[in-house]
Amino acid sequence: MNQVTATIVKPLPDHLFRVHGLNAEMRWEAMSGEGYHTPIDRFFVRNHTSTPIIDVTTWRLRVHGAGVRRPREFGYEQLRAMPSRTFDVAIECAGNGRRFYGTQQNDAAPGTQWGLGGIGVARWRGVPLKVLLKEVGLLPGAVDVLPTGLDAPFEDYGHVRRPLPIGKAMDDVLVAYEMNGEPLPPDHGFPVRLVVPGWVGIASIKWLGDIEVSSTTLFTPWNTVFYPDVTTQPVKSAFELPWNARLPLMGPHILRGRSWSGQGRIVRVEVSLDGGLTWRQAEHHGQHLARAWLPWHISWAPRHTGPHVLMARATDETGATQPPVTPRHPYGYAFDAVVRHPIEVVNG
Ligand SMILES: Nc1nc2c(c(=O)[nH]1)N[C@H]1C(S)=C(S)[C@@H](COP(=O)(O)O)O[C@H]1N2
Ligand SMILES: [Mo]
């Protein structure tokens, strides 16, 4: 069955996505057998309204504000001709995992009930934001950088926009025009989006049209009403298996998964195949990058049929590890507790 909403352009086949209203979550089994990057055809989409179709021949990126010396506009080809960088970076929605506040902690949080599929890792190419800001001449009094999207205004709040402190803007932020070697697809921000490594997805504004550099602290609904006080993403892990997967008793099986953190490299992943009684260290494979994710695997020979609970617990280089329970969060962000993944071992 193909589920299609009018607001997302790419196909959302049921075996790759779960659709939540305007948003589409990746099913984790869709990463099974995939390489390091999330292919575009299964990368989650989080839209406040709908994907705009932007004419790149008339599109301009305006960079201006009290914090710059020489305000100016950049065309698409001008941007593409500037010095570029390529980053392998995750984008993850702040609400990723929100569903588990309800299903695991009996304390449901309002909002889109994401499982763990509100994340993807892509290879992004573009112009470092600091290169653009140097081009317009940053003034010493610059405080915040406010990127605004060209998608339709969200309710009465206006265009999607969220200020970024100048320190982060000048550090590792990318004005990206390529995803996995292709021009950005419409749903992921064509012609140009921000990519803000390690931070909540809302920082990575899509369909950029305007960047204001201010000399005072800025406030928009996206750092006051929504997403206040959230910056980096906590540690999480997922198995590349369907929810309620059926595995044959005849093993051993190689169970695969990935772990990630917005704060740094993952240094350890432990897996429990008995609902948390005993833990074994998983083996890493593939790349091992900060601000992306770490693929891992573990071998398992189940001893009996019936329901089982799989759990994975990662630790990052800051020492942050996944707790058994995440403290209540009013908006349902920052879920980092170990997720209990149910499966069924069947005869065969
Ligand atoms: N202009 C604009 N930028 C946006 C959004 C949006 O709705 N409009 N959604 C944000 C949120 S909440 C997230 S999690 C990411 C999702 O990026 P993706 O759809 O490419 O996965 O984009 C962010 N950038
Ligand atoms: Mo998000």
Side-chain angles (χ1 to χ4, degrees):
M1 191 191 80
N2 268 15
Q3 256 180 316
V4 176
T5 68
T7 60
I8 293 177
V9 171
K10 70 183 177 185
L12 302 173
D14 195 48
H15 69 284
L16 299 180
F17 291 103
R18 275 180 49 160
V19 175
H20 303 271
L22 303 173
N23 312 305
E25 164 171 15
M26 182 192 74
R27 292 187 187 275
W28 261 95
E29 59 268 36
M31 282 311 292
S32 166
E34 293 296 331
Y36 194 73
H37 302 101
T38 310
I40 288 168
D41 69 357
R42 59 207 65 189
F43 202 103
F44 85 101
V45 181
R46 189 327 189 193
N47 282 352
H48 280 72
T49 58
S50 50
T51 295
I53 300 300
I54 292 170
D55 177 358
V56 78
T57 61
T58 54
W59 173 85
R60 296 286 179 276
L61 176 60
R62 210 174 137 230
V63 186
H64 64 102
V68 306
R69 247 181 260 281
R70 297 175 298 275
R72 66 168 274 204
E73 292 184 350
F74 298 85
Y76 187 62
E77 294 308 329
Q78 276 174 313
L79 279 180
R80 293 196 62 119
M82 292 175 74
S84 74
R85 292 284 309 273
T86 302
F87 290 165
D88 294 313
V89 159
I91 289 183
E92 182 182 20
C93 191
N96 197 27
R98 181 183 283 127
R99 171 156 71 94
F100 304 110
Y101 280 107
T103 60
Q104 279 193 188
Q105 305 191 172
N106 196 26
D107 192 9
T112 300
Q113 296 299 298
W114 300 97
L116 286 172
I119 181 167
V121 169
R123 172 158 292 179
W124 310 97
R125 187 161 86 99
V127 183
L129 181 55
K130 68 166 173 251
V131 170
L132 272 195
L133 294 180
K134 282 182 183 155
E135 193 66 31
V136 294
L138 204 57
L139 291 168
V143 171
D144 276 342
V145 173
L146 179 64
T148 300
L150 291 168
D151 42 339
F154 176 64
E155 297 173 355
D156 293 333
Y157 298 102
H159 289 285
V160 177
R161 60 202 192 283
R162 186 174 198 259
L164 204 59
I166 193 75
K168 181 68 174 172
M170 292 295 285
D171 180 12
D172 57 359
V173 176
L174 206 58
V175 178
Y177 48 72
E178 237 178 63
M179 180 178 187
N180 295 347
E182 294 177 29
L184 275 187
D187 297 312
H188 298 290
F190 182 85
V192 157
R193 80 175 303 164
L194 280 197
V195 174
V196 181
W199 284 37
V200 285
I202 186 61
S204 294
I205 295 292
K206 304 192 275 189
W207 313 296
L208 266 186
D210 190 291
I211 296 178
E212 178 192 342
V213 183
S214 70
S215 56
T216 56
T217 304
L218 296 179
F219 299 95
T220 76
W222 283 271
N223 67 338
T224 57
V225 182
F226 324 110
Y227 310 101
D229 307 322
V230 284
T231 53
T232 56
Q233 289 286 84
V235 191
K236 292 194 188 69
S237 303
F239 287 90
E240 295 168 14
L241 284 172
W243 207 248
N244 296 315
R246 292 164 70 83
L247 291 183
L249 181 59
M250 185 79 111
H253 302 289
I254 305 289
L255 304 177
R256 293 172 198 280
R258 305 185 191 226
S259 298
W260 60 95
S261 162
Q263 294 148 166
R265 206 180 277 268
I266 297 294
V267 294
R268 186 167 64 250
V269 181
E270 299 150 292
V271 171
S272 173
L273 306 163
D274 54 13
L277 290 174
T278 59
W279 295 83
R280 278 163 56 202
Q281 199 141 326
E283 285 177 66
H284 307 173
H285 61 267
Q287 292 181 80
H288 190 176
L289 304 176
R291 278 125 194 231
W293 53 24
L294 177 68
W296 45 261
H297 65 274
I298 197 162
S299 156
W300 183 43
R303 288 203 207 100
H304 56 91
T305 57
H308 286 71
V309 173
L310 309 184
M311 297 159 82
R313 175 172 70 195
T315 303
D316 73 18
E317 61 189 331
T318 72
T321 192
Q322 296 185 251
V325 174
T326 302
R328 176 165 210 287
H329 189 287
Y331 301 87
Y333 302 145
F335 189 89
D336 63 349
V338 174
V339 169
R340 303 174 63 88
H341 189 133
I343 63 147
E344 180 90 15
V345 176
V346 297
N347 272 308

